[in-house]
Amino acid sequence: MAGDGDFYKHDRPETSDLEEDRPRGGGPEEPQGRGNWPVWMIVLAILVAFIVFVVIFG
């Protein structure tokens, strides 16, 4: 039986290195998202609605 290093070699081509499909670094900067202000606006709206409810019916 072949040694551990030779077992997989017989099926591989001589140049078995593949080019990277997504090269690392040097690419465009991260896309600018819209941030998390919509979440804060929803939380603020809920708080204002709660305060208005307490003031009116409290």
Side-chain angles (χ1 to χ4, degrees):
M1 178 149 203
D4 289 339
D6 295 334
F7 182 74
Y8 293 104
K9 278 187 180 178
H10 74 282
D11 277 344
R12 290 189 181 182
E14 289 185 23
T15 56
S16 60
D17 293 335
L18 298 174
E19 294 182 23
E20 291 189 33
D21 58 343
R22 289 179 282 167
R24 290 168 272 199
E29 294 183 16
E30 293 290 325
Q32 296 295 324
R34 56 184 182 168
N36 60 356
W37 68 267
V39 175
W40 287 111
M41 295 308 287
I42 292 171
V43 170
L44 183 62
I46 292 172
L47 285 175
V48 168
F50 177 74
I51 291 171
V52 168
F53 180 78
V54 168
V55 168
I56 292 175
F57 297 108

